[in-house]
Amino acid sequence: MYQTLKNFGKAKIQEPLCKHTTFKIGGPADFFVTVEKIDKLQELLAFLDGEGQEYFILGGGSNMLARDEGFRGVVIEVKDKTIEQEGDEMIACAGAVTVEVAQQSMKGGLTGFEWGVGVPGTIGGAVRGNAGAMGSEMKDNVKKVLLYKDGSLHEYDNDACGFEYRSSIFKREGGIILKVWLKLKKGENIEGKKKMLEFLRYRNTTQPQGYASTGCIFKNVEFNETVPKGAYNRKKLLEHFDKENEKVQQFLSVGKISAGWLVQEAGCKGYQVGQAQVSEKHGNFIINLGGATSHDVLKIIEMVKEKVYNTYGIELEEEIQIV
Ligand SMILES: Cc1cc2nc3c(=O)[nH]c(=O)nc-3n(C[C@H](O)[C@H](O)[C@H](O)COP(=O)(O)OP(=O)(O)OC[C@H]3O[C@@H](n4cnc5c(N)ncnc54)[C@H](O)[C@@H]3O)c2cc1C
């Protein structure tokens, strides 16, 4: 396997995943291959599918927890970072860094994706998880996606992507995103840039700095009537919290309860297991104090979910991918 993988990119054996995740956690992958071109990626996927070999796609490793036991199979690091502009569209290969796509779109005189400067990881990972910030999400910008699935290529337009809050058809049904087309607008958005700088500043003051993490652990809790458990969550919110409370009013107006706030109100900030800790600064972040294991993090996740459920009857759901 190792010799064959070398035909597709730089291959390694027993590569520690902690070197490739922003959480700095994760045991060894049997095989680890870095692929720099999308056509090579496509060939590699076809080869692995043909072999019936287990594999996992890694973008920037900024939305996942890799287990200490590592991964039995091939981890494919997608590193094709090509970004092109055609008129008011940005075309990015899956390994393009989301922040760079946002910066290049602004340099290229386009507006609409300023918010992407705050999202770590790759554009492939961002589309799969319908990443979002500052009230926008990938759903607002994606025109088309090129996907590898079951040995062939498929194009998905925005509707076909089935975007939902922090989810997409790719997350729910699989497939590997190869390329992404973003539809933006010509022009400079001074307000957008100002908002973006404010947002980055806000982020620095509200999110833990200087520790490895993987962003928000839990999804915010929806109470849209059409979402399962939505009406139930709304009832619980109103049962347990004062409707006049400014935060609660904010949640009611956007239709989502901040998971970080629930964690905080349930008194879980500062929970620590081993070297992993619920951030004192932001309830939805778990930080690695140095040398945390996936077992430490999984234990904290379990403790927090239990406490929030026992206190408010609301079930938190992980946003991160656990591998
Ligand atoms: C400090 C910090 C702040 C963050 N802030 C935000 C934020 O504001 N908003 C937000 O939405 N997220 C945020 N995140 C989470 C994260 O940055 C996003 O979810 C990001 O889009 C993940 O991309 P990635 O390439 O790192 O994905 P990875 O972590 O590498 O992968 C995540 C999942 O996507 C899959 N995947 C990756 N690439 C592909 C592909 N090409 N095709 C198919 N599947 C693929 C992986 O297999 C895995 O299941 C933050 C994270 C950190 C560490």
Side-chain angles (χ1 to χ4, degrees):
M1 177 59 67
Y2 172 64
Q3 291 303 332
T4 316
L5 288 177
K6 287 208 279 190
N7 297 326
F8 302 98
K10 194 168 169 199
K12 292 180 182 170
I13 299 173
Q14 294 300 314
E15 174 71 357
L17 291 175
C18 57
K19 284 165 70 180
H20 302 276
T21 58
T22 58
F23 224 162
K24 302 206 183 314
I25 295 175
D30 287 347
F31 302 101
F32 187 95
V33 56
T34 304
V35 185
E36 304 217 337
K37 284 287 156 223
I38 285 303
D39 44 0
K40 280 280 174 202
L41 172 61
Q42 205 182 308
E43 286 171 26
L44 172 60
L45 294 168
F47 164 71
L48 295 175
D49 280 342
E51 295 285 302
Q53 174 69 57
E54 198 69 31
Y55 59 83
F56 176 78
I57 300 291
L58 180 77
S62 67
N63 197 28
M64 56 180 281
L65 173 66
R67 291 181 193 271
D68 307 324
E69 294 77 8
F71 184 76
R72 304 288 74 82
V74 182
V75 171
I76 306 170
E77 185 184 34
V78 183
K79 268 279 170 79
D80 191 335
K81 297 170 171 235
T82 313
I83 306 172
E84 292 167 326
Q85 182 175 352
E86 271 180 24
D88 57 0
E89 287 181 14
M90 297 303 291
I91 306 161
C93 287
V97 176
T98 305
V99 173
E100 287 173 12
V101 179
Q103 285 168 341
Q104 286 207 28
S105 71
M106 288 189 275
K107 273 191 204 140
L110 299 181
T111 179
F113 194 48
E114 290 86 353
W115 65 271
V117 293
V119 180
T122 64
I123 204 80
V127 169
R128 178 186 179 270
N130 190 21
M134 294 166 63
S136 296
E137 54 187 2
M138 291 310 295
K139 181 186 177 184
D140 306 328
N141 301 117
V142 169
K143 180 188 176 199
K144 192 170 76 177
V145 170
L146 178 67
L147 190 81
Y148 169 95
K149 193 168 184 209
D150 303 328
S152 49
L153 297 182
H154 309 266
E155 281 192 359
Y156 285 68
D157 66 13
N158 184 296
D159 278 348
C161 292
F163 287 120
E164 288 174 4
Y165 168 62
R166 295 297 175 268
S167 180
S168 69
I169 193 163
F170 317 116
K171 186 165 180 177
R172 296 186 295 274
E173 296 182 9
I176 314 303
I177 295 157
L178 302 178
K179 216 172 196 182
V180 177
W181 283 254
L182 302 183
K183 178 101 176 118
L184 306 177
K185 285 204 174 88
K186 287 225 162 92
E188 194 185 4
N189 184 345
I190 304 283
E191 277 312 301
K193 275 192 191 165
K194 264 199 224 150
K195 224 169 120 188
M196 177 192 88
L197 290 173
E198 249 168 56
F199 175 67
L200 290 175
R201 227 173 286 133
Y202 173 76
R203 188 168 270 236
N204 289 341
T205 54
T206 56
Q207 292 183 359
Q209 304 295 317
Y211 293 102
S213 78
T214 197
C216 289
I217 297 289
F218 302 106
K219 289 182 180 178
N220 291 329
V221 180
E222 292 188 281
F223 46 74
N224 178 339
E225 305 288 326
T226 60
V227 171
K229 291 202 232 117
Y232 173 81
N233 290 333
R234 185 186 178 89
K235 187 170 151 267
K236 290 288 164 190
L237 178 78
L238 295 176
E239 222 171 75
H240 289 286
F241 299 101
D242 175 10
K243 234 192 287 181
E244 302 310 314
N245 177 307
E246 205 182 311
K247 276 279 181 196
V248 173
Q249 288 191 356
Q250 200 186 319
F251 300 148
L252 288 169
S253 73
V254 293
K256 281 194 197 86
I257 316 166
S258 149
W261 185 78
L262 281 175
V263 172
Q264 170 187 303
E265 296 302 301
C268 306
K269 274 186 168 178
Y271 269 18
Q272 186 170 340
V273 176
Q275 288 298 96
Q277 187 188 61
V278 177
S279 164
E280 294 279 3
K281 216 167 171 186
H282 192 309
N284 208 359
F285 274 64
I286 293 178
I287 52 175
N288 181 351
L289 299 170
T293 65
S294 68
H295 283 91
D296 296 340
V297 176
L298 289 168
K299 185 70 198 155
I300 292 196
I301 289 177
E302 192 189 307
M303 285 160 67
V304 168
K305 283 171 85 167
E306 197 176 306
K307 185 74 193 298
V308 169
Y309 185 76
N310 288 342
T311 316
Y312 302 121
I314 293 176
E315 276 179 47
L316 291 177
E317 198 187 314
E318 289 85 340
E319 176 180 323
I320 56 166
Q321 176 81 28
I322 300 166
V323 189

